[in-house]
Amino acid sequence: MARTRGKDALGPAKRGQRRYKIVHVFTEGRVTEPQYIEIVRGKPAETGVEVRIANSSAPGSQRKPITLVEAAARLLREETRAAKKANLDEKLWPEVWCLFDRDEHQQIPAALRLADEAGVEVAFSHPCFELWRLLHHKPVHGTFGGVCGEAVRQLPFDGSPEKLKHMRPDELPEGSFAQAKKWAQKINAQHPEHRPKDQRDPYTDVYVFVEKGLRITAY
């Protein structure tokens, strides 16, 4: 399904096997984002990376953006020390990403600032990840007023909000990534550069995570 890049970034062979770069991902959502990643990611042999959901068993109380970034920063420090100790090629040092939304969370600016200082990558959406899902099917005009429920309501699927958290492979038609990215870049460009991300409605840069984190260029 996915078109990939980065095969030449594979590490040296060890006991007849290739070494892959590890990409750890902390997700705010327990269902939607992990399912999305599972649907679109390629195999390590195709992408050069092995993707691991770092907080798959974490309760909701540990999924606030600032908490995610704090945990991600700790993991990045630990993994980087281990990589150095193992004399791992720097190209194979681990990456750590956080995927979270504006929603009604507090401390978003602090979370973004901490991530930048710690070297943790962030994919951010305003008002929520459902904006990125929606852009696979239609352009978005105007704002959502910070209300995620409005983005959910516009998804072209039937079901309760709880049911709509679950993603299906057919929700991402072939070729839809390029169109979603184009529409996302268009709405993002409407905001002046000086405006903080948490004040940009709508906004999403999940496509950067797909290309840079998952090493996927199309699906």
Side-chain angles (χ1 to χ4, degrees):
M1 179 181 183
R3 187 180 306 156
T4 63
R5 67 181 178 191
K7 287 186 179 182
D8 57 351
L10 292 175
K14 183 178 181 181
R15 295 180 182 177
Q17 299 296 320
R18 286 287 191 180
R19 294 290 300 276
Y20 304 112
K21 185 182 185 76
I22 305 299
V23 176
H24 301 276
V25 186
F26 288 80
T27 65
E28 178 188 338
R30 280 185 271 190
V31 178
T32 312
E33 293 93 326
Q35 288 183 347
Y36 170 78
I37 292 169
E38 183 61 31
I39 291 170
V40 305
R41 73 177 180 181
K43 297 177 180 178
E46 299 169 340
T47 63
V49 298
E50 179 183 335
V51 182
R52 299 178 182 177
I53 304 299
N55 64 330
S56 59
S57 60
S61 61
Q62 296 179 19
R63 291 178 177 271
K64 296 177 181 179
I66 189 67
T67 307
L68 291 183
V69 175
E70 289 170 347
R74 288 194 297 271
L75 179 61
L76 182 58
R77 288 194 298 269
E78 295 168 359
E79 292 290 290
T80 301
R81 282 198 298 267
K84 291 179 178 179
K85 186 175 181 179
N87 293 318
L88 197 63
D89 189 313
E90 192 169 342
K91 292 185 297 183
L92 295 176
W93 285 12
E95 284 182 21
V96 181
W97 284 78
C98 287
L99 273 63
F100 58 82
D101 309 332
R102 178 64 186 89
D103 283 331
E104 298 179 1
H105 294 299
Q106 303 298 315
Q107 296 183 286
I108 293 292
L112 293 171
R113 184 169 57 253
L114 175 59
D116 184 60
E117 293 170 353
V120 171
E121 302 279 2
V122 172
F124 178 74
S125 298
H126 191 324
C128 57
F129 184 80
E130 277 63 34
L131 168 62
W132 173 242
R133 295 171 66 186
L134 182 60
L135 289 170
H136 286 73
H137 303 277
K138 58 182 287 189
V140 168
H141 304 287
T143 77
F144 293 95
V147 180
C148 183
E150 180 58 25
V152 174
R153 188 189 67 77
Q154 292 188 34
L155 289 173
F157 316 111
D158 295 324
S160 66
E162 191 63 31
K163 182 178 179 181
L164 288 174
K165 288 182 180 180
H166 296 271
M167 293 191 63
R168 307 183 309 271
D170 61 2
E171 183 178 327
L172 305 174
E174 184 175 354
S176 60
F177 174 76
Q179 186 62 76
K181 176 184 175 181
K182 180 180 178 179
W183 281 334
Q185 290 176 321
K186 184 175 181 179
I187 63 172
N188 293 351
Q190 296 174 356
H191 305 290
E193 283 295 320
H194 68 270
R195 179 174 294 170
K197 280 188 179 182
D198 65 307
Q199 297 178 20
R200 301 179 187 181
D201 180 9
Y203 178 91
T204 183
D205 53 21
V206 174
Y207 59 89
V208 177
F209 163 68
V210 176
E211 294 182 328
K212 185 177 177 182
L214 302 183
R215 275 53 168 191
I216 300 295
T217 59
Y219 54 72

